[in-house]
């Protein structure tokens, strides 16, 4: 057997896998081949929606399931033994794997990322591959795990037998948290972007610590009833009878599979606690409050819980006097894990100060790059009144006949203190125009308004703009806010991908956090956003990818300039320790307050300095402090400019056309025209170059459609990337005919070449050397495939002639 004639897959099967098995690795339990660990980035440019190439490791070796410790990158035998090492190191950095091997079937190059080996890289024979025990011993030493810590780290993940496996970054997060806790640290922070499965990650951490006997009583804290309820019936379901909710309100909840379950409660009507459970879930508002009688958590002894997990810990928990902090302080002896998508970091308040630096971070930018999160398009709409402000005419009266105070009102005033109804109508009109022009008026949409009253007016304006669809179903447009029971009752239907209605939802803060709107395709901002934290939470409502309904990206329409936050380097999702506001930046911490959604015995969150409540059920502002809104009619409003921006690969918003994007992408791949020409002429199959570009999310047909020109991919690349005057396929074919390059061939061979040239001119066929083309018209009328190839003296002669034809097509190019 000639090893050099084998494919990379053959090398894996015949040489690498046997070597690994001889070293003692269990093929069924410890070895996985062709492990795809990303989905491939979704790229959106105008009409173009494509996925980039998913990343795939040839071999990943696990000491135990979900504890990866080694990676092997394979190459065929025409490569050297170490040719895969750099690619392997790149993958290993992503997967947090310390030991990397490269092989071509002759042996291995071993790279130790831990730095513990005397030699960074070593050459090994096929029979010298390390055993599982050898690599695990190195791993233990690298992580500093003693025998007790090792037992915790090796505790199995929960497996329900369905085949569901955690994503690579979830594995990284779980393992990082477990290893940190196993070594004795009791404050742990995990930063994971919205939509990346924080709750599932938390479940696996809790499960392993619970099963290992390290943590016997656990408290999971969140700030939304819907989060607690759905967590109990879905991700935390395996805890079964050991789990209960700290609540007096019984509920029947629907699971993801459609079945229903009654929640187990750990409180009776007299608020007495049943201490027989092991896993407790609680709404933090339900177990604390400003009055001593509301501080239910004090009914537990300080040492009752071994582990506390705080979901969305950026909201309030960092402040020393917050409701979260008093609970955490009471149970200060427990291990505490904070989960957040957007840590709040200001000069005065820092989660990292309390929990320490994150042990794991998975950013929005990384999630989009990997293809697990949806990218988005931003449409900025500037209304004249917002840009120029509004100053009432002398003696201007409002709707109630009162004179309007003479001052300049700006975007921060509109819908909060001053209402220009024409502005609301214009906004509703633009939203409806977008839906109509997109061709899909049934894409689920969230419109964020200033407060509940604004949300009611926006709902009415949208109902009138969409009268035809509201006539079909009154739930086409609905307001869902904290005080609107009818709207709240429809929240589950809005979130359910299987439920058609409601479609357009107006809200203020209710939907900004904590709800899993998988099929939300449009987010509209018609209120100012005070912080990057709040902005990321709102954007997080649309970042889920939903393959079944073809939801691969979403659109954000910004009427209030909120997307100016995108210029902030925080946008890539990485937490920043200190926020130092500039001269004109807001000093006060942003209002991240999230209010309770419905248990009567809970007190609302107490706002901190500078925070103003605008949307909270059952908690009106004190008499005399309720600001009266001023309604001014007949003022008018118009759109000044609209701009579409896209997310680039660095997580920044850029205003860029599809042509600009394509040019930038092509010039990254081909630094100069000469480099491209050299690559094109050396390619045996021109289609390979086109396929490579498609794999990177750059199908050329989309830019061809936009240019409206019937161009060969060669001309398309030269024209867009290097500003060369393009030739059409017809012009290229005619040039070849004029040069009469086929005279040396027989009449039948010339007829075949002429027909191939016509095929290229009409259809742009690049794989002219594929003999299968001879099986279709007009070639079938000329003779059999065998006869036509014989006209060139055999297959080699046919391929040579076709390559000459391709060279002639691109002759004198450049």
């Amino acid at each position: 057997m000639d090893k050099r004639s084998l494919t990379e897959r053959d090398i894996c099967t015949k040489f690498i896998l046997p070597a690994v098995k001889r070293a003692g690795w269990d093929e069924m339990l410890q070895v996985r081949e062709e492990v795809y660990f990303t989905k491939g980035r979704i790229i959106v440019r105008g009409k173009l929606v494509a996925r980039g190439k998913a990343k795939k490791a040839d071999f990943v070796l696990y000491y135990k399931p979900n504890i990866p410790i080694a990676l092997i990158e394979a190459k065929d035998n025409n490569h050297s033994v170490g040719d895969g090492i750099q690619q392997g190191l790149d993958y290993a950095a992503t997967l947090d794997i310390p030991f990397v091997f490269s092989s071509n079937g002759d042996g291995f190059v071993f790279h130790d990322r831990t730095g513990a080996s005397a030699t960074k890289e070593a050459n090994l024979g096929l029979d010298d591959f390390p055993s599982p025990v050898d690599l695990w011993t190195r791993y233990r030493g690298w992580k500093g795990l003693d025998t007790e810590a090792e037992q915790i780290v090796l505790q199995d993940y929960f497996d329900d037998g369905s085949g569901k496996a955690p994503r690579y970054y979830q594995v990284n997060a779980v393992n990082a948290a477990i290893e940190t806790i196993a070594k004795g640290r009791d404050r742990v922070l995990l930063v994971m972007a919205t939509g990346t499965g924080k709750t599932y990650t938390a479940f696996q951490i809790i499960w392993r610590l619970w099963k290992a006997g390290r943590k016997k009583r656990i408290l999971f804290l969140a700030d939304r009833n819907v989060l607690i309820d759905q967590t109990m019936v879905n991700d935390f379901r395996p805890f079964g009878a050991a789990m209960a909710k700290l609540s007096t309100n019984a509920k029947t909840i629907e699971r993801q599979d459609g079945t229903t379950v009654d929640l187990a409660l750990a409180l009776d009507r007299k608020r007495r606690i049943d201490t027989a459970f092991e896993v407790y879930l609680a709404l933090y508002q339900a177990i604390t409050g400003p009055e001593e009688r509301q501080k239910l958590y004090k009914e537990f002894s300080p040492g009752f819980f071994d582990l506390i997990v705080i979901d969305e810990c950026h909201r309030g928990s960092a402040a020393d006097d917050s409701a979260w902090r008093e609970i955490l302080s009471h149970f200060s002896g427990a291990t505490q894990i904070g989960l957040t998508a957007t840590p709040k970091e200001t000069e005065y308040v820092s989660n990292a100060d309390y929990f320490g630096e994150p042990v794991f971070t998975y950013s929005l930018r990384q999630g989009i790059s990997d293809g697990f999160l949806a990218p988005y398009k931003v449409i900025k709409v500037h209304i004249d009144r917002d840009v120029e402000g509004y100053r009432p005419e002398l003696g201007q009266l409002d709707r109630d006949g009162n004179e309007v105070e003479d001052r300049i009102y700006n975007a921060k005033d509109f819908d909060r203190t001053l209402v220009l109804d024409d502005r609301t109508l214009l906004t509703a009109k633009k939203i409806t125009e977008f839906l109509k022009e997109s061709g899909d008026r049934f894409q689920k949409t969230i419109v964020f308004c200033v407060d509940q009253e604004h949300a009611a007016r926006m709902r009415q304006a949208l109902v009138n703009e969409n009268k035809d669809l509201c006539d079909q179903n009154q739930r086409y447009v609905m307001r869902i806010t904290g005080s609107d029971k009818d709207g709240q009752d429809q929240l589950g239907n809005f979130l359910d991908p299987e439920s058609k209605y409601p479609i357009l939802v107006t809200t203020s803060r209710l939907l900004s956090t904590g709800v899993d709107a998988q099929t939300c395709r449009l987010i509209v901002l018609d209120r100012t956003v005070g912080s990057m934290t709040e902005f990321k939470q709102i954007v997080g409502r649309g970042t889920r990818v939903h393959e079944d309904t073809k939801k691969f990206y979403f659109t954000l329409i910004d009427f209030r300039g909120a997307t100016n936050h995108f210029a902030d380097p925080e946008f890539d999702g990485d937490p920043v320790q200190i926020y130092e506001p500039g001269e004109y930046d807001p000093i006060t911490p942003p209002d991240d307050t999230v209010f309770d959604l419905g248990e009567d015995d809970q007190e609302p969150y107490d706002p901190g300095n500078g925070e103003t409540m605008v949307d909270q059920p059952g908690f009106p502002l004190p008499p005399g402090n309720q600001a009266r809104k001023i309604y001014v009619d007949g003022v008018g409003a118009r759109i000044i400019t609209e701009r579409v921006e896209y997310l680039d690969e660095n997580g920044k918003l850029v205003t860029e056309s599809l042509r600009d994007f394509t040019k930038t992408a092509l010039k990254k791949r081909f630094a100069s025209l000469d480099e491209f020409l050299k690559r094109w002429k050396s390619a045996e199959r021109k289609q390979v170059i086109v396929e490579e570009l498609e794999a990177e999310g750059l199908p050329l047909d989309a830019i061809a459609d936009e240019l409206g020109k019937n161009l060969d991919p060669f001309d398309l690349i030269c024209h867009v990337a290097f500003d060369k005057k393009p030739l059409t396929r017809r012009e290229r074919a005619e040039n070849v005919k004029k040069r009469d390059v086929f005279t040396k061939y027989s009449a039948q061979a010339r007829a075949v070449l002429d027909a191939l040239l016509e095929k290229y001119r009409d259809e742009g066929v690049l794989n002219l050397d594929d003999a299968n083309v001879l099986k279709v018209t007009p070639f079938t009328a000329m003779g059999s495939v065998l006869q036509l190839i014989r006209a060139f003296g055999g297959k080699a002669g046919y391929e040579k002639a076709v390559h000459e034809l391709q060279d002639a097509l691109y002759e004198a190019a450049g």
Side-chain angles (χ1 to χ4, degrees):
M1 176 172 39
D2 178 11
K3 193 185 282 190
R4 287 183 173 269
S5 69
L6 297 177
T7 65
E8 182 182 296
R9 202 68 245 144
D10 282 332
I11 293 293
C12 290
T13 304
K14 293 178 170 59
F15 296 96
I16 298 176
L17 184 58
V20 170
K21 288 164 68 176
R22 285 196 300 272
W25 294 85
D26 186 317
E27 183 181 3
M28 297 303 293
L29 299 177
Q30 295 181 303
V31 181
R32 282 186 61 198
E33 296 185 64
E34 295 195 295
V35 180
Y36 284 91
F37 57 92
T38 71
K39 296 277 284 183
R41 183 178 178 217
I42 300 164
I43 297 170
V44 182
R45 289 294 183 278
K47 299 174 186 175
L48 170 67
V49 179
R51 268 202 189 272
K53 201 170 183 179
K55 290 183 178 179
K56 177 192 71 174
D58 293 321
F59 289 87
V60 177
L61 307 184
Y62 300 81
Y63 188 66
K64 285 193 73 175
N66 294 310
I67 302 180
I69 60 172
L71 180 147
I72 307 171
E73 187 58 35
K75 297 294 178 186
D76 64 37
N77 202 248
N78 294 301
H79 292 80
S80 68
V81 67
D83 268 6
I85 200 71
Q86 291 192 155
Q87 186 177 351
L89 286 170
D90 178 52
Y91 290 172
T94 300
L95 296 171
D96 197 23
I97 291 175
F99 308 118
V100 184
F101 298 83
S102 171
S103 179
N104 65 352
D106 290 339
F108 296 94
V109 169
F110 171 37
H111 182 107
D112 184 352
R113 295 180 63 231
T114 70
S117 300
T119 306
K120 193 72 176 171
E121 285 189 358
N123 292 307
L124 306 176
L126 280 178
D127 293 325
D128 299 325
F129 196 84
S131 69
V133 173
D134 180 12
L135 289 188
W136 179 251
T137 302
R138 293 172 183 246
Y139 185 93
R140 272 189 60 182
W142 173 50
K143 291 290 188 179
L145 303 176
D146 59 23
T147 304
E148 183 184 356
E150 180 187 29
Q151 290 176 344
I152 299 167
V153 168
L154 291 179
Q155 178 61 48
D156 289 334
Y157 277 63
F158 174 78
D159 184 354
D160 62 3
S162 68
K164 178 183 178 180
R167 292 171 174 171
Y168 85 84
Y169 62 84
Q170 293 170 336
V171 168
N172 290 355
V174 173
N175 290 345
I178 293 291
E179 288 168 4
T180 302
I181 292 167
K183 289 189 287 187
R185 182 167 151 184
D186 58 8
R187 298 291 181 269
V188 177
L189 181 63
L190 297 176
V191 179
M192 296 174 69
T194 301
T196 55
K198 289 193 297 297
T199 312
Y200 174 72
T201 302
F203 162 72
Q204 290 289 4
I205 295 169
I206 297 169
W207 178 268
R208 292 175 67 194
L209 292 170
W210 185 58
K211 280 293 185 181
R214 180 68 176 258
K215 305 297 177 187
K216 296 177 181 177
R217 287 201 183 102
I218 296 105
L219 174 63
F220 181 86
L221 283 172
D223 60 1
R224 286 282 173 108
N225 264 319
V226 66
L227 294 180
I228 296 291
D229 298 344
Q230 292 300 322
T231 295
M232 288 183 72
V233 300
N234 292 317
D235 287 329
F236 279 32
R237 181 177 176 179
F239 287 121
M243 170 180 64
K245 181 179 180 182
L246 280 169
S247 171
T248 57
N249 290 5
K251 283 187 180 178
T252 300
I253 303 295
E254 185 175 340
R255 290 181 172 135
Q256 288 170 338
D257 59 10
T259 60
T260 59
V261 62
D262 292 327
L263 298 185
L265 303 180
L267 285 181
D268 63 17
R269 282 293 168 189
K270 294 183 178 179
R271 291 172 65 84
R272 290 177 300 205
I273 299 169
D274 185 344
T275 57
F277 295 99
E278 295 174 71
V279 179
Y280 293 82
L281 293 89
L283 204 66
Y284 84 86
Q285 300 99 316
I287 62 172
T288 189
E291 296 181 25
E292 196 63 27
R293 64 177 178 81
Q294 296 162 330
K295 299 185 188 299
L296 181 68
Y297 69 88
K298 290 189 175 181
E299 298 297 316
F300 294 99
S301 66
F304 185 85
F305 292 110
D306 306 308
L307 173 66
I308 299 178
V309 178
I310 309 97
D311 193 24
E312 301 293 3
C313 67
H314 59 274
R315 287 201 289 275
S317 61
D320 288 335
D321 59 351
S322 72
W324 289 96
R325 184 64 75 86
E326 65 177 358
I327 299 172
L328 301 184
S329 298
H330 182 72
F331 300 112
S332 60
T335 297
Q336 297 174 1
I337 302 174
L339 305 173
T340 183
T342 55
K344 179 191 284 187
E345 305 296 345
T346 71
E347 189 174 349
Y348 310 105
V349 177
S350 171
N351 273 356
D353 282 348
Y354 182 78
F355 289 102
E357 290 301 315
V359 299
F360 176 80
T361 298
Y362 189 73
S363 66
L364 174 66
R365 172 178 168 181
Q366 187 63 49
I368 291 174
S369 177
D370 287 342
F372 294 119
L373 296 180
Y376 40 94
K377 190 185 297 186
V378 175
I379 300 174
K380 292 185 177 182
V381 182
H382 300 285
I383 296 175
D384 60 346
R385 296 297 173 190
D386 295 348
V387 175
E388 300 162 6
Y390 163 66
R391 183 174 182 180
E393 296 176 2
L394 188 64
Q396 173 80 53
L397 302 181
D398 67 12
R399 192 179 292 171
D400 297 327
N402 300 307
E403 187 169 334
V404 181
E405 181 188 350
D406 181 18
R407 68 177 180 87
I408 295 176
Y409 296 87
N410 57 33
K412 289 184 178 180
D413 295 305
F414 297 143
D415 299 299
R416 188 176 296 281
T417 58
L418 181 93
V419 174
L420 302 179
D421 222 31
D422 288 342
R423 188 194 174 286
T424 308
L425 298 176
L426 178 64
T427 303
K429 184 180 178 66
K430 291 303 294 183
I431 295 168
T432 305
E433 274 180 22
F434 172 84
L435 292 169
K436 287 178 177 177
E437 290 173 9
S438 73
D440 179 11
R441 293 174 70 189
F442 285 87
Q443 49 187 301
K444 292 196 175 180
T445 300
I446 304 174
V447 184
F448 286 99
C449 303
V450 168
D451 57 20
Q452 297 188 62
E453 184 274 341
H454 182 208
R457 283 188 293 105
M458 184 62 72
R459 177 202 154 275
Q460 183 178 356
L462 286 167
V463 165
N464 290 330
E465 284 291 336
N466 295 275
K467 180 181 180 300
D468 55 338
L469 295 182
C470 290
D471 285 342
Q472 294 175 24
N473 192 306
Q474 67 181 27
R475 291 185 299 146
Y476 179 76
V477 183
M478 293 202 73
R479 179 181 76 153
I480 300 181
T481 55
S483 63
D484 190 331
K485 185 180 185 306
D486 292 332
Q488 278 195 50
D489 288 345
Q490 292 298 322
L491 178 58
N493 287 327
F494 179 73
L495 302 178
D496 183 359
E498 303 296 322
S499 294
K500 186 173 183 179
Y501 296 102
I503 299 296
L504 309 186
V505 164
T506 68
T507 188
S508 52
R509 277 177 164 72
L510 183 60
L511 294 176
S512 64
T513 59
V515 291
D516 189 3
Q518 300 175 55
T519 54
C520 176
R521 297 171 186 266
L522 177 62
I523 291 175
V524 179
L525 281 175
D526 195 29
R527 69 171 173 85
T528 55
V529 178
S531 70
M532 178 61 72
T533 298
E534 185 180 22
F535 185 82
K536 287 178 184 174
Q537 286 290 343
I538 289 173
V539 168
R541 299 313 102 215
T543 53
R544 271 81 169 179
V545 175
H546 198 262
E547 309 250 357
D548 292 348
T549 57
K550 304 288 185 188
K551 186 237 168 162
F552 293 107
Y553 71 98
F554 67 100
T555 303
L556 184 68
I557 301 180
D558 180 13
F559 288 95
R560 302 274 183 154
T563 47
N564 293 336
H565 287 294
F566 274 124
D568 195 301
E570 283 182 291
F571 174 65
D572 64 7
D574 294 329
V576 178
Q577 176 66 26
I578 300 294
Y579 165 55
E580 297 180 5
E583 182 180 356
Y584 301 106
D585 293 331
I587 298 297
T588 53
D591 177 14
D592 298 320
T593 310
V594 174
F595 305 109
D596 168 40
L597 296 183
E599 295 205 0
D600 296 335
D601 55 2
Q602 291 152 12
E603 288 294 322
Y605 174 76
D606 187 27
N609 183 37
E611 297 177 327
T612 304
M613 290 196 213
V614 294
D615 187 15
Q616 179 184 357
F619 195 74
L621 292 173
N625 289 352
Q626 182 72 55
R628 185 182 71 87
K629 285 192 181 183
I630 304 166
Y631 295 81
V632 182
D633 298 328
V635 172
R638 63 187 175 86
I639 302 297
I640 298 178
T641 59
E642 289 183 55
R643 187 164 76 228
V644 180
E645 298 186 341
Y646 299 98
L647 198 69
D648 72 7
E649 66 273 19
N650 296 315
K652 305 298 179 189
L653 273 177
V654 291
T655 305
E656 184 175 59
S657 68
L658 176 59
R659 178 170 179 163
D660 291 336
F661 164 71
T662 308
K663 180 172 185 173
T664 303
L666 288 171
K667 293 196 86 165
K668 279 184 181 175
R669 182 167 244 286
F670 308 111
S672 65
L673 178 61
D674 286 342
E675 183 181 323
F676 168 66
L677 294 176
K678 185 177 178 182
R679 173 81 171 89
W680 184 268
K681 289 174 182 177
S682 66
E684 286 287 310
R685 289 178 61 244
K686 314 302 182 189
Q687 186 67 24
V688 168
I689 295 176
V690 176
E691 289 168 356
E692 287 173 357
L693 293 173
E694 284 182 354
E696 293 175 12
L698 194 67
L700 294 176
D701 52 358
I703 182 66
D705 289 345
E706 182 162 294
L707 293 175
K709 295 181 180 178
N710 188 20
L711 297 179
D712 181 287
F714 173 86
D715 283 284
L716 200 60
I717 293 171
C718 288
H719 177 55
V720 172
F722 305 108
D723 300 316
K724 301 293 291 184
K725 182 178 182 298
L727 295 178
T728 64
R729 290 199 301 264
R730 177 177 292 278
E731 288 171 329
R732 289 207 173 275
E734 291 300 324
N735 285 345
V736 173
K737 281 189 174 181
K738 286 176 189 173
R739 291 199 292 274
D740 202 17
V741 295
F742 304 146
T743 52
K744 61 183 177 181
Y745 295 104
S746 67
Q748 188 176 29
R750 281 202 305 273
V752 170
L753 292 170
D754 279 332
L756 284 172
L757 200 55
E758 290 297 309
K759 202 101 179 138
Y760 164 81
R761 187 188 70 182
D762 296 337
E763 300 175 26
V765 177
L766 288 177
N767 293 342
L768 296 175
D769 53 350
D770 184 350
N772 285 322
V773 75
L774 302 179
K775 295 178 181 178
V776 299
T777 55
F779 303 102
T780 49
M782 299 180 186
S784 69
V785 174
L786 196 57
Q787 288 173 329
L788 297 182
I789 287 179
R790 278 178 182 162
F792 293 89
K795 187 176 181 182
Y798 170 74
E799 290 177 348
K800 182 171 182 291
V802 172
H803 286 141
E804 287 177 357
L805 168 60
Q806 288 181 327
D807 289 343
L809 279 169
Y810 303 111
E811 191 175 315

